[in-house]
Amino acid sequence: MSGAALGLEIVFVFFLALFLLHRYGDFKKQHRLVIIATLLAWYLCFLIVFILPLDVSTTIYNRCKLAVNSSPAESNSSFVTLAPSKQQCFKPWSYIPNGIMPIFWRVVYWTSQFLTWILLPFMQSYARSGGFSITGKIKTALIENAIYYGTYLLIFGAFLIYVAVNPKLLGYYPSEKSLVKLHKQVIYSVQRHRRTQVQWQILLEQAFYLEDVAKNETSATRQFVHTFQSQEPENKIIQYFYTPTVEWYWECLLRPWFYRVLAVVLAAFSVIVVWSECTFFSTRPVLSLFAVFIQLAEKTYNYIYIEMACFLTIFFLSICVYSTVFRIRVFNYYYLASHHQTDAYSLLFSGMLFCRLTPPLCLNFLGLTHMDATISHTDAQPTAYTSIMGSMKVLSFIADGFYIYYPMLVVILCIATYFSLGTRCLNLLGFQQFMGDSEMTSDLIDEGKELIRREKRRRQRQEEGENRRREWKERYGNREDSTRNRVVHTEQKESSFSETNTNRPLSKYTRTNGRTERDRIELLQDAEPLDFNADSINDDPLESDSGRYQPGGRYLSMSRSRIFEDV
């Protein structure tokens, strides 16, 4: 099994990153380089989270071997007081041979750093550029990155020396400046328009779903009935097992209790994390609960328990951090929208955030479990991750002060969240939030209810019209086809006859389509007078059949035809 667990997790994490990227991005509309770069950034960050528990179990096994080979007096580890016998050093099922993990972490770390500091910022600026040519987009990207890194160079000159500003980049297309700016604004507007349409449909589906749950809670048949059928085709396997009866028990009975239990479990995890963040610097006695759990399992060398404890801990920390990245919205500058509505710039920006947040998050996890020698103050063998990433020992004021006391600020964050201090501060500044007792909010709620009722009536009329058309086609389909064939044949004869008599008035030889066609049109108009022409009339200029705006996401700055080209 040596290395098998590593290989399985590498494959699993790849498909996990691919699934999440497919949910938020759009493989058909966005440029391949954007998809590949974002996928690589997400993949590397998720790899760190999933592979780090294997590194911890392998390090504990290596420490056990060192303790067996050395005498108890020579062992300086605070985790093992007596040298265990050779029978106690069991090799973990996920053991990774020596020399693999340092190379693995080195590749992951430096690749992610190259992505987050060089490649992804350049692709971001290129994606948001409004230039009309490849050269213009590249110049814009170079100028923006030169300004960005130049600012970093002035502020943090001792730490970040990456880019020197090239004075040749200052010249920029004076005659096309206004057009480039307009092009950039059009790109933003089209993307926001598509995103708003999709989000409105999602909100409608959620509103109808909540109404269905409220109605079905009092159902005597205990079968879940939907007001409207789903517009997406359902999987036959899911449809076979997830019957209306099973759906009723889950949606109306089990799901609320499941969320209550999940809330209690997550609250307990949150308390453990806050406590451990405030006490992880204490080694004697050990106050961090995560370190206590790992040390108890280390005494019996229960590697499966060690890996599960490490995975659950770092997984919970990652969920807390990554959920913020997925949910935060910075105006229209950065926003991750599901259902394939995220633009290229936001995808690349999320990859940068993941690459910058994941390494310190994992170092914080090692500190919570006292696997970092900087925290445990021992000479025990470090993990391969720590040996590659390094520690804060170089800067004493950071290692002994900032690195220890800064995590305690999470207590202030929890207090502020509990008392809604952020909302109260925004209210004082004039940014009113959603308040239930406000008259304006009541008007907005009434307006929202009216919009939902209007959409429900529209969908009901649409379904009724489709049912009538289906019944008409089933009843008079053959007769209509034969009538249509006769009308077409008559029109062909009339057109040929009119061509031979071009000098005579055209209206003299033109005849109507026939009584059957008129009856059919009148019947359809009677069946659905309000929405009969709704599908044929399109008041959205972006949805027209002509022009380059017709595909939803084709109007992006990075097309699929050629590399870095959208013209």
Side-chain angles (χ1 to χ4, degrees):
M1 292 295 294
S2 297
L6 178 63
L8 290 176
E9 291 200 2
I10 288 176
V11 176
F12 171 76
V13 172
F14 175 78
F15 286 103
L16 175 63
L18 188 65
F19 169 77
L20 291 176
L21 184 59
H22 178 266
R23 176 177 175 81
Y24 286 91
D26 195 333
F27 293 169
K28 295 181 180 179
K29 300 175 183 177
Q30 289 166 344
H31 198 277
R32 294 178 181 176
L33 290 181
V34 175
I35 297 298
I36 293 174
T38 308
L39 176 62
L40 182 60
W42 290 17
Y43 177 53
L44 295 177
C45 296
F46 295 163
L47 269 180
I48 298 177
V49 174
F50 281 83
I51 302 300
L52 192 58
L54 305 184
D55 190 5
V56 172
S57 62
T58 302
T59 303
I60 293 177
Y61 173 71
N62 293 331
R63 288 179 179 179
C64 177
K65 292 195 300 182
L66 290 176
V68 169
N69 296 330
S70 61
S71 61
E74 296 176 354
S75 179
N76 294 324
S77 176
S78 64
F79 300 112
V80 182
T81 57
L82 296 176
S85 61
K86 294 184 178 179
Q87 288 77 12
Q88 290 178 331
C89 293
F90 299 104
K91 181 181 292 187
W93 70 278
S94 58
Y95 175 75
I96 301 174
N98 294 330
I100 294 180
M101 291 308 300
I103 298 176
F104 176 82
W105 290 130
R106 189 175 289 110
V107 172
V108 169
Y109 177 75
W110 288 112
T111 305
S112 63
Q113 293 302 304
F114 172 76
L115 288 173
T116 189
W117 294 110
I118 298 179
L119 183 60
L120 294 182
F122 177 80
M123 295 182 68
Q124 272 188 300
S125 301
Y126 189 96
R128 292 183 71 92
S129 174
F132 295 97
S133 63
I134 300 177
T135 305
K137 288 179 177 292
I138 292 177
K139 286 185 177 181
T140 303
L142 289 176
I143 292 174
E144 290 183 358
N145 281 271
I147 296 174
Y148 176 76
Y149 287 112
T151 305
Y152 266 93
L153 187 64
L154 294 176
I155 301 176
F156 305 102
F159 299 94
L160 301 174
I161 305 176
Y162 290 96
V163 178
V165 178
N166 190 353
K168 295 182 180 180
L169 300 180
L170 296 178
Y172 187 78
Y173 295 162
S175 60
E176 298 182 359
K177 186 176 181 180
S178 59
L179 292 177
V180 168
K181 184 178 180 180
L182 179 62
H183 186 206
K184 187 176 182 179
Q185 294 175 352
V186 170
I187 294 174
Y188 296 162
S189 301
V190 171
Q191 180 64 32
R192 289 196 299 269
H193 175 76
R194 304 295 179 188
R195 182 187 298 167
T196 305
Q197 284 185 330
V198 173
Q199 289 176 342
W200 169 242
Q201 295 299 324
I202 295 173
L203 290 176
L204 290 176
E205 296 296 334
Q206 291 178 353
F208 295 149
Y209 158 75
L210 294 176
E211 288 185 352
D212 291 340
V213 172
K215 292 179 181 178
N216 284 275
E217 285 179 349
T218 58
S219 176
T221 59
R222 296 190 175 184
Q223 288 188 350
F224 200 91
V225 179
H226 293 273
T227 304
F228 303 106
Q229 296 297 327
S230 177
Q231 299 179 357
E232 299 180 357
E234 297 182 357
N235 193 344
K236 294 183 178 180
I237 299 177
I238 298 177
Q239 191 175 5
Y240 177 78
F241 290 100
Y242 197 60
T243 59
T245 303
V246 176
E247 186 176 3
W248 186 90
Y249 276 99
W250 168 248
E251 296 290 347
C252 301
L253 189 63
L254 298 178
R255 190 169 186 171
W257 287 101
F258 171 77
Y259 282 153
R260 292 187 180 98
V261 173
L262 182 62
V264 173
V265 173
L266 295 180
F269 257 101
S270 300
V271 172
I272 294 174
V273 169
V274 173
W275 172 262
S276 301
E277 290 285 358
C278 297
T279 60
F280 73 96
F281 60 88
S282 177
T283 57
R284 294 179 183 178
V286 178
L287 299 179
S288 175
L289 296 180
F290 293 121
V292 172
F293 297 153
I294 298 300
Q295 291 180 19
L296 290 176
E298 188 179 2
K299 292 179 179 179
T300 59
Y301 295 96
N302 190 347
Y303 296 109
I304 295 179
Y305 173 80
I306 292 173
E307 292 177 5
M308 289 302 299
C310 292
F311 175 75
L312 291 177
T313 303
I314 194 172
F315 184 75
F316 180 76
L317 295 175
S318 302
I319 290 296
C320 295
V321 175
Y322 293 165
S323 62
T324 305
V325 177
F326 280 102
R327 296 177 61 183
I328 194 174
R329 177 172 182 175
V330 184
F331 302 104
N332 289 315
Y333 180 76
Y334 169 75
Y335 180 42
L336 288 179
S338 58
H339 296 80
H340 321 294
Q341 297 303 311
T342 306
D343 58 353
Y345 184 86
S346 297
L347 286 176
L348 296 171
F349 192 76
S350 66
M352 293 171 54
L353 290 178
F354 284 147
C355 291
R356 297 179 186 182
L357 291 175
T358 305
L361 174 67
C362 294
L363 285 177
N364 179 257
F365 160 74
L366 294 176
L368 293 178
T369 56
H370 288 187
M371 296 297 296
D372 190 354
T374 306
I375 302 301
S376 59
H377 302 288
T378 61
D379 295 331
Q381 180 181 358
T383 61
Y385 185 86
T386 308
S387 63
I388 297 300
M389 301 298 173
S391 62
M392 295 294 180
K393 289 183 178 180
V394 179
L395 302 174
S396 59
F397 70 94
I398 294 181
D400 299 333
F402 182 82
Y403 188 60
I404 293 176
Y405 297 106
Y406 180 73
M408 295 182 183
L409 296 179
V410 71
V411 178
I412 301 178
L413 180 62
C414 294
I415 296 174
T417 303
Y418 181 79
F419 290 102
S420 302
L421 296 182
T423 302
R424 298 176 187 272
C425 293
L426 290 176
N427 291 335
L428 292 176
L429 294 176
F431 298 96
Q432 297 294 328
Q433 301 297 306
F434 191 83
M435 305 297 290
D437 56 352
S438 174
E439 182 179 355
M440 182 182 66
T441 304
S442 301
D443 295 338
L444 292 177
I445 293 175
D446 295 336
E447 183 180 356
K449 291 180 179 180
E450 181 60 32
L451 290 175
I452 295 299
R453 287 194 291 266
R454 187 184 306 170
E455 180 65 21
K456 183 182 293 185
R457 290 194 299 266
R458 190 191 69 83
R459 291 196 180 189
Q460 289 174 349
R461 291 196 305 268
Q462 184 177 1
E463 286 189 354
E464 292 174 358
E466 290 178 355
N467 292 333
R468 291 191 181 95
R469 282 193 290 268
R470 190 180 301 108
E471 292 176 359
W472 171 267
K473 186 175 182 180
E474 292 176 356
R475 183 177 301 178
Y476 304 106
N478 296 331
R479 185 182 304 176
E480 181 183 351
D481 293 338
S482 61
T483 303
R484 186 182 295 109
N485 291 334
R486 289 197 301 269
V487 171
V488 171
H489 182 67
T490 304
E491 289 179 351
Q492 290 177 351
K493 293 177 63 178
E494 291 174 355
S495 62
S496 62
F497 183 76
S498 61
E499 288 177 358
T500 58
N501 298 274
T502 55
N503 295 328
R504 300 182 181 181
L506 183 62
S507 60
K508 184 177 181 180
Y509 299 98
T510 303
R511 292 155 61 181
T512 59
N513 290 337
R515 182 176 182 82
T516 305
E517 187 69 17
R518 290 198 304 270
D519 291 342
R520 185 176 71 87
I521 295 175
E522 290 177 0
L523 180 61
L524 290 178
Q525 290 178 344
D526 266 343
E528 194 176 9
L530 294 178
D531 292 335
F532 173 65
N533 295 325
D535 295 334
S536 60
I537 297 176
N538 191 358
D539 56 354
D540 188 357
L542 299 177
E543 297 289 345
S544 61
D545 294 334
S546 62
R548 62 175 299 181
Y549 303 103
Q550 191 269 337
R554 295 287 182 174
Y555 203 95
L556 294 176
S557 60
M558 306 189 80
S559 63
R560 299 175 65 247
S561 58
R562 289 181 59 188
I563 297 177
F564 297 143
E565 181 181 9
D566 68 340
V567 180

